[in-house]
Amino acid sequence: MSLRATLLSMVRKFEGRAPLDDGDRAALLSLPFEERHVGQHRYIAREGDRPRGATLLIEGLAIRHKITTGGARQILSMHVPGDFVDLENMLLKVADHNVQALTDCQVAVVPGAAISSLIDARPKIAHALWVDTLIDASIFREWIVNVGRRDAFSAACHLMCEFACRLDPGCVTGGYELPMTQEQLADALGVTPVHVNRVLRDLEDQHLIARRKRFIHIPDWARLRKAAGFNELYLHLDQSAPAAFPGLGDHASIARQADEALV
Amino acid sequence: MSLRATLLSMVRKFEGRAPLDDGDRAALLSLPFEERHVGQHRYIAREGDRPRGATLLIEGLAIRHKITTGGARQILSMHVPGDFVDLENMLLKVADHNVQALTDCQVAVVPGAAISSLIDARPKIAHALWVDTLIDASIFREWIVNVGRRDAFSAACHLMCEFACRLDPGCVTGGYELPMTQEQLADALGVTPVHVNRVLRDLEDQHLIARRKRFIHIPDWARLRKAAGFNELYLHLDQSAPAAFPGLGDHASIARQADEALV
DNA sequence: CGGGTCGTTGACTCTCATCAACCCTCGTGG
DNA sequence: CCACGAGGGTTGATGAGAGTCAACGACCCG
């Protein structure tokens, strides 16, 4: 994906989060930035850093993670081109976690001053950015459930579902390239690499996924969803891009039981 | 805590997140709201709801949680007076999780329109609210680590540390009332109630905590911190209130509290 | 062709889940 | 005043899911 294409897809994503006008779009596309290459495994931000800018992922994948005092790593999220990967660190002044390049990445570093004045001058963009961080938070909540209350098998199914939505928007190709090692998957699921290996084999034995190298093929989306207990409501896809992801969301009606009796 | 006192402490909290002017403070304090009582265990918001307002917690404690398709519950966070407990649900249009009263609660429901116009007209307040949601997100990240990469013992220590910071700001009294059942603690830690019982006993045997009913006493803050691997950076306390929480952040809190007494 | 990273598998261990019983406390009502 | 029931806390016995240790295999790249 090229720089220009990523910028445009980012603008399109924000359109779904707040109605932008021409001036907003122009302001986004004319942001000053410094393009940079970040090699695989290099850090984009480290816990304790005081970022001086916001980093937009242009190409490649990045992850957030934390390391416990015991030395264990927990991966917190995965990010795709078009995501600001350390906006919260900038706004909170100090990074409370690490951001690392999962693959070779191209990033655009926007100076903090430019972000600040964008937020001040363009309330609708500020709102879109806010919603962006709120969706991240929603995904964090689901990950708490994933590591806390699902066994390794369902949690792996769930992760495969989420990655499908993020890496193969619309689920049109029936699969996606997942450039994570089993050790990294283990750190995302809160288990050991050995156990991930066995769980992936189980998934494959039950034909919930098929693997060719690190390409994940999903032969039966409905079955995988069911095994995962996956409900994409938490991804707030309707606010990701206008009219995207057709066909997704049918099952969300189950959760839509508004209880008007209480507050 | 009274309504007025909670409102003032909320304003004070926001002051630490963005510099407010007199107009901002007045706008916050003159927000229209409807005060309501929410009985223990009643829901403030349910997954799938489309909230029409933002709920400010005035008195009592509330929790966020999700239920998996398997029926297991995972608690996602705990909230104290002064917190907006469903702001993200309002901004994302649809609630992706439940909010429930842990104890009897008093809440103030601010109409969505009032929140929207506050955000539009008062960029500094909008920024403060944004930072508020960012800090929530940071806590979610730490909870992912807690359930994913800490064993039940350390995770329990960590939770006791976090609750100390939230329920006994400044850690001056050396303990706090924790109105959660062991079953609820289990749902926060991602384990079973039986195991929580044993782990709490272990904590007590090692004199990391002492319990009288549901009051948690912390005899040695430094030891508990160490057992938990607790680092309060993720709470972003410096942005919670100006000059609050002295003594946190080092291990010599006793000496620091002595200094404080002179002020 | 050699070395490194990653994936795979087996044997054994341990944390935590499960099931079940029993206790305590407190509020209620006879 | 005591009986009763319900919710929550405590404890023991047993089992399952995941961790640990260790070895080997597959693949890639220089």
Side-chain angles (χ1 to χ4, degrees):
Chain A
M1 183 136 38
S2 75
L3 191 153
R4 175 104 194 132
T6 300
L7 286 178
L8 287 174
S9 84
M10 176 199 70
V11 172
R12 217 175 322 118
K13 180 178 76 172
F14 285 173
E15 301 258 18
R17 299 184 178 177
L20 305 184
D21 61 33
D22 287 343
D24 293 326
R25 279 183 282 270
L28 272 175
L29 292 173
S30 66
L31 274 175
F33 62 83
E34 185 186 333
E35 199 174 358
R36 259 190 234 171
H37 179 79
V38 181
Q40 186 177 27
H41 303 151
R42 303 300 298 271
Y43 279 78
I44 294 170
R46 287 193 122 98
E47 190 171 344
D49 277 359
R50 298 181 167 269
R52 287 188 305 266
T55 307
L56 175 68
L57 191 55
I58 299 294
E59 192 166 355
L61 298 177
I63 54 171
R64 301 173 191 280
H65 69 84
K66 286 188 128 172
I67 312 264
T68 68
T69 49
R73 177 178 66 168
Q74 176 68 48
I75 293 179
L76 305 166
S77 64
M78 195 260 300
H79 290 276
V80 300
D83 290 352
F84 277 101
V85 290
D86 63 353
L87 187 59
E88 55 273 76
N89 291 333
M90 203 199 90
L91 291 165
L92 288 171
K93 309 281 201 306
V94 53
D96 52 58
H97 64 279
N98 307 289
V99 183
Q100 193 174 11
L102 185 60
T103 65
D104 276 0
C105 287
Q106 281 297 118
V107 301
V109 181
V110 182
I115 294 285
S116 294
S117 58
L118 188 74
I119 290 172
D120 290 344
R122 295 281 165 189
K124 276 175 281 190
I125 292 178
H127 196 270
L129 287 169
W130 187 359
V131 170
D132 213 49
T133 61
L134 289 175
I135 294 176
D136 278 352
S138 173
I139 297 175
F140 292 141
R141 287 192 288 270
E142 189 64 41
W143 280 45
I144 296 176
V145 178
N146 217 34
V147 293
R149 280 300 185 210
R150 280 193 261 264
D151 61 20
F153 184 87
S154 338
C157 289
H158 199 278
L159 202 65
M160 294 300 118
C161 286
E162 179 176 317
F163 285 168
C165 293
R166 312 275 310 271
L167 295 171
D168 178 23
C171 297
V172 286
T173 65
Y176 53 90
E177 180 69 26
L178 180 62
M180 290 177 80
T181 65
Q182 293 184 358
E183 185 172 11
Q184 289 161 341
L185 283 172
D187 287 340
L189 294 168
V191 299
T192 56
V194 172
H195 200 54
V196 162
N197 184 287
R198 290 171 174 143
V199 163
L200 287 181
R201 163 165 291 283
D202 288 348
L203 268 117
E204 203 157 25
D205 287 349
Q206 301 193 21
H207 305 291
L208 290 166
I209 61 168
R211 292 178 291 167
R212 278 196 313 278
K213 308 268 178 185
R214 286 182 188 160
F215 186 90
I216 304 292
H217 177 72
I218 300 177
D220 187 342
W221 178 237
R223 274 189 64 232
L224 184 63
R225 277 177 64 92
K226 193 173 171 196
F230 184 73
N231 175 348
E232 66 275 7
L233 175 67
Y234 77 97
L235 293 172
H236 296 278
L237 296 175
D238 54 325
Q239 301 188 33
S240 285
F245 305 98
L248 273 180
D250 336 347
H251 298 245
S253 54
I254 296 164
R256 202 162 294 154
Q257 298 161 351
D259 183 350
E260 306 297 337
L262 292 171
V263 178
Chain B
M1 182 139 31
S2 75
L3 191 152
R4 175 104 195 132
T6 300
L7 286 178
L8 287 174
S9 85
M10 176 198 70
V11 171
R12 216 176 323 116
K13 181 177 76 173
F14 285 173
E15 301 258 18
R17 301 186 177 175
L20 305 183
D21 60 33
D22 288 342
D24 293 326
R25 278 183 283 270
L28 271 175
L29 291 173
S30 65
L31 273 175
F33 63 84
E34 186 185 333
E35 198 173 358
R36 267 194 224 172
H37 180 79
V38 181
Q40 186 177 28
H41 303 152
R42 303 302 297 272
Y43 278 78
I44 294 171
R46 286 191 122 101
E47 190 172 343
D49 276 1
R50 297 180 167 270
R52 287 189 304 266
T55 307
L56 176 69
L57 191 55
I58 299 293
E59 192 165 354
L61 298 177
I63 54 170
R64 301 173 192 280
H65 69 84
K66 285 187 129 172
I67 312 266
T68 67
T69 50
R73 178 177 65 169
Q74 176 67 50
I75 293 179
L76 305 166
S77 63
M78 196 261 299
H79 291 275
V80 300
D83 290 353
F84 277 101
V85 289
D86 62 355
L87 187 59
E88 55 274 76
N89 291 332
M90 203 200 89
L91 292 164
L92 289 171
K93 309 283 201 307
V94 52
D96 53 59
H97 63 280
N98 308 289
V99 184
Q100 194 175 12
L102 185 60
T103 65
D104 276 1
C105 287
Q106 282 298 117
V107 300
V109 181
V110 183
I115 294 286
S116 294
S117 60
L118 188 74
I119 289 172
D120 290 345
R122 295 280 165 189
K124 275 176 280 191
I125 293 178
H127 197 270
L129 287 168
W130 187 359
V131 170
D132 213 48
T133 61
L134 289 176
I135 293 175
D136 278 351
S138 173
I139 296 174
F140 292 141
R141 286 192 287 270
E142 189 64 40
W143 279 45
I144 297 176
V145 178
N146 217 33
V147 293
R149 282 298 185 210
R150 281 193 260 265
D151 63 19
F153 184 88
S154 338
C157 289
H158 200 277
L159 202 65
M160 294 301 118
C161 286
E162 179 176 318
F163 284 168
C165 293
R166 312 276 308 274
L167 296 171
D168 178 23
C171 298
V172 287
T173 65
Y176 52 91
E177 181 70 23
L178 179 62
M180 290 176 82
T181 64
Q182 293 184 359
E183 186 173 9
Q184 289 162 341
L185 283 172
D187 286 339
L189 294 169
V191 298
T192 56
V194 173
H195 199 55
V196 162
N197 184 287
R198 290 173 173 141
V199 165
L200 287 181
R201 164 165 289 284
D202 288 348
L203 286 189
E204 203 157 24
D205 286 349
Q206 299 192 23
H207 305 291
L208 289 166
I209 61 168
R211 292 178 291 168
R212 275 196 316 279
K213 306 268 179 185
R214 288 183 187 157
F215 187 90
I216 304 293
H217 177 73
I218 299 177
D220 187 340
W221 178 237
R223 274 189 66 233
L224 184 63
R225 278 178 63 94
K226 192 172 174 197
F230 185 73
N231 174 352
E232 66 274 8
L233 175 67
Y234 76 98
L235 293 172
H236 296 277
L237 296 174
D238 55 325
Q239 300 188 33
S240 286
F245 305 99
L248 268 182
D250 60 32
H251 294 249
S253 55
I254 295 165
R256 193 64 82 79
Q257 279 166 23
D259 289 347
E260 212 186 333
L262 299 175
V263 177

